[in-house]
Amino acid sequence: MNRLFTGGCDTVIHSYDITNLVEFSDQDGLKEKNKDVKHEKEIMDLLPIPEMGLIASASLDSNMCLWSMNDLKGKSIHTDHQKGIYSLEWYEDQKLILSAGLEHDIYIWNPIVKEKIFMLKGHNHSMVGVKWLKGTNQVISADISGMFRIWDVRTFTTV
């Protein structure tokens, strides 16, 4: 699949066939299909999860949405965040999604379940991002004050 996915100020995910350089999807048809799964504000991050055929999107509307990678049909909307989300990360070894944003916490999601499964608490400022350190059980997070934390995801504690 040679596809490029984008999202931004128009609150919609676009899919492009990069072989033929054309937009893949019918946006008007998708809006009609995705009445329940949509963003109301800017999309800040997209996270492809090819092994599950999904794309996760994060928005300033405080929602994370999951979409089918094939046809961009909305699968689920996750509304536990209270403020905008800036960053998404896929923790491949455990099949978890990590999300961070204007709140001080990192949310941990199982893409099969609608509610978050845990929150990593320990920052005192809004988050800038979260990344999994591949090949380890560790995640690194950063907030706007410049504070970094390294977490052990097996125990959900700071290293």
Side-chain angles (χ1 to χ4, degrees), residues 27-135:
Q27 291 303 321
D28 291 331
L30 282 174
K31 286 179 186 175
E32 187 64 29
K33 285 184 201 174
N34 294 327
K35 287 182 180 177
D36 296 329
V37 179
K38 63 182 179 179
H39 288 296
E40 300 291 335
K41 293 187 178 177
E42 295 86 348
I43 295 172
M44 300 303 292
D45 199 7
L46 293 176
L47 175 69
I49 309 171
E51 59 266 30
M52 297 186 78
L54 297 173
I55 295 176
S57 59
S59 172
L60 290 180
D61 65 8
S62 77
N63 296 327
M64 180 184 71
C65 297
L66 294 177
W67 313 86
S68 166
M69 192 176 276
N70 291 331
D71 58 8
L72 290 181
K73 184 173 186 224
K75 295 291 188 186
S76 60
I77 186 167
H78 304 264
T79 59
D80 287 14
H81 276 276
Q82 301 302 306
K83 298 179 180 177
I85 308 168
Y86 287 144
S87 177
L88 295 172
E89 178 68 329
W90 177 241
Y91 180 38
E92 185 177 359
D93 289 354
Q94 298 296 324
K95 308 288 187 249
L96 299 172
I97 298 172
L98 309 169
S99 61
L102 289 170
E103 294 164 280
H104 304 173
D105 308 316
I106 300 158
Y107 287 55
I108 300 177
W109 310 85
N110 176 332
I112 309 279
V113 182
K114 190 160 175 126
E115 291 80 28
K116 71 180 176 299
I117 59 171
F118 201 79
M119 284 175 31
L120 299 177
K121 294 180 168 283
H123 284 276
N124 294 321
H125 301 334
S126 296
M127 303 299 298
V128 173
V130 59
K131 290 293 176 193
W132 169 49
L133 302 171
K134 292 186 181 184

